[in-house]
Amino acid sequence: LDALNELSRLHNRFNILSAAVYIDTSSTHVQSLLSRVPTFCDFGQAHEQARSVCIDAMMHFGIQMQRLEMPLDGLLDWTENMASILVVECYLKAVDESLSMGISARRSICHLLLSLSEILTKGSLGPRGVYPSPRFLSGSASFISFLYLLSLKEGYRLDPTTSANIIQPVESGRSQ
């Protein structure tokens, strides 16, 4: 019961911040709010359900920021941090089979990829209808590609629609 209460509180914190973004959409206010997001949960120490809540929050904030035409920088920093933690866990599991974190990390990587796909597709449906952020073409693109390849190597197959949503926007953005 206590774990469920903690998850509920974490979810509520993210929802309150999301609502606060609409109260004052100034860039300074929004960036201040988003800078608090990673402090709600120590992703590296969190269990799989809490990580799932964090990844969902990242996705919803990403879509929200895109639709409000706000920069994704702080959010992408948080995403890269989460991805780094998951990649390290997968690596550690590959080195030491006795560790139990590998399956959870792989599932979280797939969840992160699906969430990034949602940002790329739903976020770009905003008023401009353009590519979400140049950051997806630099540092972020490299970790998206790495996570995608890692998920394939580990035997996690994403559906073709999701795969196309991740790869196609990155490739089309590079050709512009």
Side-chain angles (χ1 to χ4, degrees), residues 19-31 33 64 68 70:
V21 166
Y22 287 115
I23 293 171
D24 179 358
T25 58
S26 69
S27 183
T28 307
H29 181 255
V30 171
Q31 293 308 315
L33 290 174
Q64 183 179 23
L68 291 172
M70 304 292 275

Side-chain angles (χ1 to χ4, degrees), residues 5 17-18 22 34 40 43 51 64 70 73-74 85 88 94 113-114 116 119 134 152 168:
N5 286 336
L17 238 60
S18 180
Y22 287 115
L34 288 180
F40 290 166
F43 193 81
R51 286 180 173 189
Q64 183 179 23
M70 304 292 275
D73 293 335
I85 289 167
V88 166
L113 283 169
L114 292 171
L116 289 168
I119 293 172
L152 292 178
Q168 186 270 332

Side-chain angles (χ1 to χ4, degrees), residues 1 6 24 29 36 39 50 60 82 84 93 106 125 140 173:
L1 185 63
E6 282 298 316
D24 179 358
H29 181 255
R36 297 181 203 160
T39 66
H60 291 293
M82 289 189 287
S84 297
K93 173 64 177 174
R106 289 191 301 261
L125 297 176
S140 298

Side-chain angles (χ1 to χ4, degrees), residues 6-84:
E6 282 298 316
L7 284 175
S8 179
R9 276 185 246 151
L10 180 61
H11 189 71
N12 288 339
R13 286 182 192 136
F14 289 133
N15 284 336
I16 288 168
L17 238 60
S18 180
V21 166
Y22 287 115
I23 293 171
D24 179 358
T25 58
S26 69
S27 183
T28 307
H29 181 255
V30 171
Q31 293 308 315
S32 169
L33 290 174
L34 288 180
S35 70
R36 297 181 203 160
V37 170
T39 66
F40 290 166
C41 179
D42 182 355
F43 193 81
Q45 300 299 314
H47 54 81
E48 189 173 3
Q49 289 103 349
R51 286 180 173 189
S52 183
V53 170
C54 291
I55 292 169
D56 284 342
M58 177 277 302
M59 176 187 66
H60 291 293
F61 282 123
I63 293 168
Q64 183 179 23
M65 295 301 98
Q66 285 296 112
R67 290 189 175 163
L68 291 172
E69 299 183 20
M70 304 292 275
L72 293 172
D73 293 335
L75 196 63
L76 289 176
D77 291 340
W78 184 39
T79 305
E80 287 175 355
N81 183 42
M82 289 189 287
S84 297

Side-chain angles (χ1 to χ4, degrees), residues 79-134:
T79 305
E80 287 175 355
N81 183 42
M82 289 189 287
S84 297
I85 289 167
L86 295 172
V87 167
V88 166
E89 286 182 12
C90 281
Y91 172 77
L92 292 175
K93 173 64 177 174
V95 171
D96 184 355
E97 290 293 324
S98 68
L99 298 175
S100 63
M101 65 184 117
I103 294 171
S104 172
R106 289 191 301 261
R107 275 195 301 260
S108 293
I109 285 172
C110 288
H111 188 180
L112 188 63
L113 283 169
L114 292 171
S115 296
L116 289 168
S117 175
E118 289 293 306
I119 293 172
L120 289 171
T121 55
K122 291 185 178 175
S124 63
L125 297 176
R128 296 180 297 152
V130 298
Y131 196 81
S133 170

